[in-house]
Amino acid sequence: MAALRYSGLDDTDSEDELPPCWEQRTTKDGWVYYANHTEEKTQWEHPKTGKRKRIAGDLPYGWEQETDENGQVFFVDHINKRTTYLDPRLAFTVDENPTRPTTRQRYDASTTAMEILQGRDFTGKVVVVTGANSGIGFETAKSFALHGAHVILACRNMTRANEAVSRILGEWRKAKVEAMTLDLALLRSVQHFAQAFKAKNVSLHVLVCNAAAFALPWSLTKDGLETTFQVNHLGHFFLVQLLQDVLCCSAPARVVVVSSESHRFTDINDSSGKLDFSRLSPSKSDYWAMLAYNRSKLCNILFSNELHRRLSPRGVTSNAVHPGNMMYSSIHRNWWVYTLLFTLARPFTKSMNQLAVRTLHLRTI
């Protein structure tokens, strides 16, 4: 049909093809009606199938609905720089009494972050993403922002965070996105972030605990804890505790903790099976960077599971996710050996846009 072709969508359903002189239109509230230009009449039923239909889902990515000076609704395609009075969602109409789908949306290793949110509208939702100035965090934040969410990039380096905000606004000038200071290696900074966020008097629907450090040389934070443990786990743990009341008041809400499959290759218990706190924040003589990372990721999963057990009755869901094999990130920048290994393996791994899929998918299920 002409409407579908104009929207860049092919008509593949011959049953719904309109007879000559008929036109498909939509009302402001999403119902489809049909105009017969020969007989100068309109009707709700499709002239061939007799079915009544309505618009399904949200506008495609890059489209926006506006109203002209006469009060008539039209649609703006920001990607292709064009406008039309034909609703691009006419390709996705459903029967008036649809049956609930029995299958979920499928995705595979090649699916990108933007594709996983296709058709979703997060207008009115508030999302906080830690470590969002690059990598998975940036792709996650960008995807939420370009689908209408109010996104806060919680980052240590404000120069890079503001650059990330500018990149998102460069793709869509109306995106609601901002940066706030959060240094997970300093518990006082975590507390200041929580206070500043609460001062905004907004809800919090999604909190993505994404920031992480990898292959760091041994060091202690100003709080006296091993840096990898505090940045990857304890800082996020403290942040969630401080924002827990906001999450519950915003229910349904979700916490997504970005962990790693490497959590399987470590243990935090001693020989008797009890928790060994010395393994969480080890001394310099007992420190191995890879093991410290693995233990912090195990803590992420244990924390997420317990958080879900405690808060799910109050409408807050918590999930831990392994994003996939990650070689495009700068997380390996602290040691040249890891940089070399990551570079050699890069052709066989996913891009950052693909790695963000699992984080985003958890918010859509």
Side-chain angles (χ1 to χ4, degrees):
M1 293 183 292
L4 304 185
R5 288 194 297 271
Y6 189 83
S7 300
L9 302 165
D10 295 329
D11 176 22
T12 59
D13 189 354
S14 58
E15 181 189 34
D16 286 338
E17 186 174 357
L18 290 170
C21 301
W22 283 85
E23 182 186 357
Q24 188 173 217
R25 298 177 179 175
T26 57
T27 63
K28 290 184 178 181
D29 55 358
W31 289 97
V32 178
Y33 69 97
Y34 304 91
N36 186 327
H37 295 292
T38 301
E39 301 179 11
E40 297 183 351
K41 69 175 185 179
T42 60
Q43 63 186 54
W44 294 109
E45 295 79 14
H46 190 285
K48 289 177 64 176
T49 65
K51 296 178 180 178
R52 290 193 178 194
K53 294 182 176 292
R54 61 178 176 82
I55 295 298
D58 305 304
L59 288 169
Y61 166 64
W63 286 80
E64 186 175 15
Q65 180 176 300
E66 302 280 0
T67 304
D68 65 16
E69 56 185 10
N70 297 318
Q72 188 172 355
V73 174
F74 66 97
F75 302 89
V76 181
D77 180 358
H78 292 286
I79 296 177
N80 297 306
K81 311 295 183 184
R82 62 184 180 182
T83 61
T84 176
Y85 284 92
L86 299 172
D87 193 323
R89 295 170 295 177
L90 287 172
F92 305 105
T93 55
V94 296
D95 295 345
E96 182 178 354
N97 297 309
T99 57
R100 185 176 180 84
T102 57
T103 59
R104 294 183 178 180
Q105 178 182 357
R106 295 180 180 274
Y107 68 94
D108 55 28
S110 63
T111 304
T112 65
M114 293 305 298
E115 291 172 346
I116 205 68
L117 293 185
Q118 177 65 44
R120 303 275 181 167
D121 183 6
F122 286 90
T123 301
K125 302 297 184 181
V126 180
V127 180
V128 171
V129 184
T130 68
N133 57 6
S134 62
I136 297 175
F138 174 75
E139 295 296 337
T140 300
K142 181 180 74 171
S143 298
F144 275 124
L146 296 184
H147 285 83
H150 174 190
V151 181
I152 296 174
L153 282 64
C155 305
R156 176 178 56 87
N157 187 324
M158 287 305 293
T159 299
R160 295 182 61 190
N162 288 324
E163 290 174 355
V165 169
S166 298
R167 288 165 60 191
I168 295 173
L169 292 174
E171 294 203 30
W172 187 33
R173 61 181 177 81
K174 293 187 177 181
K176 195 170 184 180
V177 57
E178 61 179 303
M180 292 179 62
T181 302
L182 173 64
D183 185 356
L184 293 167
L186 186 63
L187 296 181
R188 184 184 306 161
S189 174
V190 178
Q191 192 170 28
H192 288 168
F193 173 88
Q195 292 171 347
F197 179 84
K198 289 181 177 180
K200 293 178 176 290
N201 292 316
V202 297
S203 301
L204 178 56
H205 301 99
V206 184
L207 172 58
V208 181
C209 300
N210 164 80
F214 176 77
L216 293 178
W218 183 87
S219 65
L220 294 178
T221 67
K222 291 183 178 180
D223 300 300
L225 297 165
E226 191 276 314
T227 304
T228 301
F229 172 66
Q230 179 165 332
V231 171
N232 292 7
H233 171 63
L234 193 62
H236 283 129
F237 176 89
F238 189 38
L239 177 64
V240 173
Q241 301 309 304
L242 294 174
L243 298 179
Q244 178 176 311
D245 55 338
V246 183
L247 286 163
C248 292
C249 290
S250 308
R254 186 181 297 264
V255 176
V256 179
V257 183
V258 180
S259 184
S260 171
E261 188 70 13
S262 66
H263 80 277
R264 299 180 183 276
F265 309 111
T266 188
D267 196 358
I268 55 176
N269 293 334
D270 58 22
S271 57
S272 64
K274 295 182 180 180
L275 178 63
D276 186 352
F277 286 98
S278 65
R279 297 190 181 190
L280 300 180
S281 183
S283 63
K284 186 174 183 179
S285 60
D286 296 326
Y287 180 78
W288 180 32
M290 190 68 220
L291 196 57
Y293 177 80
N294 294 351
R295 286 171 176 165
S296 70
K297 296 293 104 177
L298 176 57
C299 289
N300 287 163
I301 293 177
L302 296 175
F303 165 58
S304 178
N305 290 346
E306 180 62 18
L307 184 68
H308 181 79
R309 187 186 70 81
R310 296 189 183 191
L311 296 190
S312 57
R314 301 174 63 183
V316 179
T317 303
S318 179
N319 298 96
V321 59
H322 167 57
N325 296 327
M326 181 170 51
M327 301 299 176
Y328 281 80
S329 169
S330 60
I331 196 171
H332 53 77
R333 62 185 176 274
N334 296 292
W335 191 27
W336 69 268
V337 174
Y338 283 119
T339 300
L340 176 61
L341 292 174
F342 277 41
T343 301
L344 293 174
R346 179 173 293 182
F348 309 103
T349 59
K350 296 181 180 181
S351 67
M352 286 295 103
N353 195 280
Q354 292 169 330
L355 288 167
V357 164
R358 295 187 182 181
T359 303
L360 294 163
H361 179 66
L362 284 174
R363 181 57 188 90
T364 63
I365 58 177

